[in-house]
C-alpha cells in the first residue's frame, strides 16, 4: 500500500509545523508554602496552606492544607502589591463538604460550620498571608495569619508539575 506523494508531503509539513509551534499549556509558576495560625472564637490553632499560582490564567490551586480542601481552585487576582483570592465553602450537599466538615478545623472550631467564604491576600513583598473567614451574613468569624515561603519552577522541590 503506497501513499500518494502529495499526501505524504502534507503530513510531513503538518508534523513539522506542530513540532515548532509554541506550546499552549499553562504552567503553575509560583508556589507558596504557608504556615501559621487559624484564629476563631478566641482560640488559635497551627495550620498550613500550600498554593500553586498560575498567573497567566488567574488560577490558584490548593495543593496541601489542613484548613481548605486540597484540589480546590480559586480565581486569582494580581495587583502590584498582593495576590488575592476568595475560597467558597463547598455546598452542604456535596461529597467535598462531608470530607471537609469532618476535618480537624471544624472539629476544633464548631463555630466555623457557618463558614461561607475566606478572603485571602498574600503580600508580594513580605509573603505574609492574611485571611478573613466570613459566614453567610458576611460577618467575620475567624482569621488566617501565615508566613509564606515562595518558590518558582526553578526553586520548587520535586516533584514538579
Amino acid at each position: 500500500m503506497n501513499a500518494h506523494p502529495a499526501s505524504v508531503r502534507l503530513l510531513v509539513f503538518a508534523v513539522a509545523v506542530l513540532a515548532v509551534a509554541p506550546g499552549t499549556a499553562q504552567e503553575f509558576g509560583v508556589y507558596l508554602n504557608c504556615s501559621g495560625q487559624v484564629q476563631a472564637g478566641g482560640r488559635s490553632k497551627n495550620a498550613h496552606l500550600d498554593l500553586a499560582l498560575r498567573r497567566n490564567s488567574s488560577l490558584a490551586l490548593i495543593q496541601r492544607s489542613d484548613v481548605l480542601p486540597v484540589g480546590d481552585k480559586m480565581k486569582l487576582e494580581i495587583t502590584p502589591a498582593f495576590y488575592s483570592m476568595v475560597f467558597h465553602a463547598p455546598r452542604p450537599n456535596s461529597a467535598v463538604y462531608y470530607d471537609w466538615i469532618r476535618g480537624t478545623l471544624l472539629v476544633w472550631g464548631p463555630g466555623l460550620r457557618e463558614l461561607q467564604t475566606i478572603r485571602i491576600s498574600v503580600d508580594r513583598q513580605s509573603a505574609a498571608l492574611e485571611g478573613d473567614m466570613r459566614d453567610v451574613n458576611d460577618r467575620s468569624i475567624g482569621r488566617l495569619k501565615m508566613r509564606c515561603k515562595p518558590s518558582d519552577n526553578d526553586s520548587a522541590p520535586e516533584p514538579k508539575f
Side-chain angles (χ1 to χ4, degrees):
M1 185 164 118
N2 290 335
H4 189 274
S7 62
V8 171
R9 276 184 264 161
L10 182 60
L11 178 63
V12 170
F13 176 74
V15 169
V17 167
L18 291 174
V20 297
T24 58
Q26 299 175 351
E27 292 185 359
F28 291 96
V30 175
Y31 307 93
L32 300 173
N33 298 333
C34 308
S35 61
Q37 300 285 312
V38 174
Q39 302 166 343
R43 300 172 62 194
S44 78
K45 175 182 176 18
N46 290 334
H48 66 269
L49 172 61
D50 294 353
L51 299 168
L53 308 181
R54 187 181 283 168
R55 293 179 287 190
N56 60 352
S57 65
S58 301
L59 177 71
L61 173 70
I62 301 167
Q63 288 189 291
R64 184 178 73 97
S65 180
D66 59 358
V67 179
L68 302 176
V70 172
D72 270 20
K73 298 173 184 151
M74 300 176 282
K75 181 171 178 15
L76 175 65
E77 298 290 335
I78 302 171
T79 69
F82 293 97
Y83 291 123
S84 300
M85 55 219 90
V86 177
F87 168 78
H88 298 280
R91 289 187 306 261
N93 59 353
S94 71
V96 173
Y97 177 79
Y98 292 113
D99 286 342
W100 184 60
I101 199 89
R102 289 182 292 198
T104 59
L105 180 65
L106 297 182
V107 170
W108 164 79
L112 295 176
R113 289 185 189 274
E114 303 300 318
L115 180 65
Q116 186 69 34
T117 58
I118 302 175
R119 297 178 187 149
I120 300 168
S121 65
V122 180
D123 186 302
R124 294 181 67 186
Q125 297 301 312
S126 68
L129 180 147
E130 291 192 12
D132 186 22
M133 306 168 93
R134 316 283 297 180
D135 68 9
V136 70
N137 297 314
D138 205 32
R139 289 184 301 233
S140 182
I141 57 173
R143 306 274 308 153
L144 295 175
K145 292 194 177 277
M146 299 183 177
R147 302 292 295 161
C148 300
K149 181 183 175 205
S151 59
D152 59 19
N153 285 328
D154 294 330
S155 60
E158 296 290 338
K160 296 185 180 187
F161 287 94

